[in-house]
Amino acid sequence: MDKFVVRLPKAETPKKTKSKEKVYKQTTIESLRRVVVIEDIMRYKSILELPDQTKDNMLDALAELKKKMPSREVLKSTKIGHTVNKMRKHSDPEVGSLAAQVYTEWRTFIEENSNKASIEVRCDKQSEGLRNNARRLMADALKVKMDCGLIDNIEREVFHQSSRLVSGSYRRTVRALVFAFKHKPDIKTQLTDNTVSVSHLVSNYKK
């Protein structure tokens, strides 16, 4: 029967060509350099000022700060400028170099735009009250002072990982950490010895 079968060549399927169209990402107000979220500035400041902080954490914090242009008022109220200025003399040349870049860019921006205001985003008073209570609970559990840099760093990390909301997740995570601090004394040693990072600790107990 094959003698009577006429075989036609298979039609070539057109090859799909990759689209060369540009993919645009949506810009949020917080991604703008002149829009400064005070909580983020204070979080990075807390990371930089925490004793025995890892190099990677310091570089990440400085890289994020480099994306922003805080106003003179923000620099004064948060004192982030003093913190970054001190980091320029850090023993690690890479950290010191990046800190110098951030400081120079901010100083130049202030000189050139002293008459322009930046947009500041702050927490409301009720949220601040709840967060202070969370700090107190964690400080009592760790048996350290409430204004301890470690407590500030932990609370700000919890707030950050809770999408900057004093939500149910935030409260549950704080309770889980308080319980762990009371019943697992080795956690404080791990944090002090830098064998576990604050971000990793919070991630482990996030609810």
Side-chain angles (χ1 to χ4, degrees), residues 14 56 72 78 113 176:
D56 288 342
R72 189 188 299 274
T78 63
N113 301 273

Side-chain angles (χ1 to χ4, degrees), residues 44-55 57-58 83 87 90 147-154 188-198:
Y44 299 137
K45 181 174 182 285
S46 178
I47 291 173
L48 294 174
E49 292 181 346
L50 190 67
D52 301 318
Q53 185 62 271
T54 65
K55 175 182 175 180
N57 285 346
M58 288 188 287
T83 301
M87 297 299 293
H90 197 274
D147 58 356
C148 170
L150 179 60
I151 293 298
D152 186 61
N153 200 200
I154 294 172
K188 183 178 179 180
T189 305
Q190 291 174 351
L191 286 169
T192 306
D193 295 345
N194 217 22
T195 54
V196 60
S197 67
V198 170

Side-chain angles (χ1 to χ4, degrees), residues 50-69:
L50 190 67
D52 301 318
Q53 185 62 271
T54 65
K55 175 182 175 180
D56 288 342
N57 285 346
M58 288 188 287
L59 289 175
D60 288 344
L62 287 168
E64 290 300 320
L65 287 171
K66 195 172 188 291
K67 297 176 183 178
K68 291 298 179 181
M69 288 297 175

Side-chain angles (χ1 to χ4, degrees), residues 134-149:
R135 291 189 181 102
R136 181 182 57 78
L137 292 172
M138 290 190 288
D140 290 345
L142 274 177
K143 297 180 180 179
V144 296
K145 293 181 179 180
M146 185 175 163
D147 58 356
C148 170

Side-chain angles (χ1 to χ4, degrees), residues 101-118:
Q101 291 178 39
V102 176
Y103 185 81
T104 301
E105 286 187 15
W106 285 358
R107 185 174 61 185
T108 303
F109 172 78
I110 293 298
E111 291 173 353
E112 295 178 352
N113 301 273
S114 58
N115 59 335
K116 297 180 182 178
S118 297

Side-chain angles (χ1 to χ4, degrees), residues 153-166:
N153 200 200
I154 294 172
E155 190 282 327
R156 291 188 186 282
E157 186 62 33
V158 174
F159 190 65
H160 174 72
Q161 292 194 25
S162 302
S163 303
R164 292 202 297 261
L165 294 170
V166 184

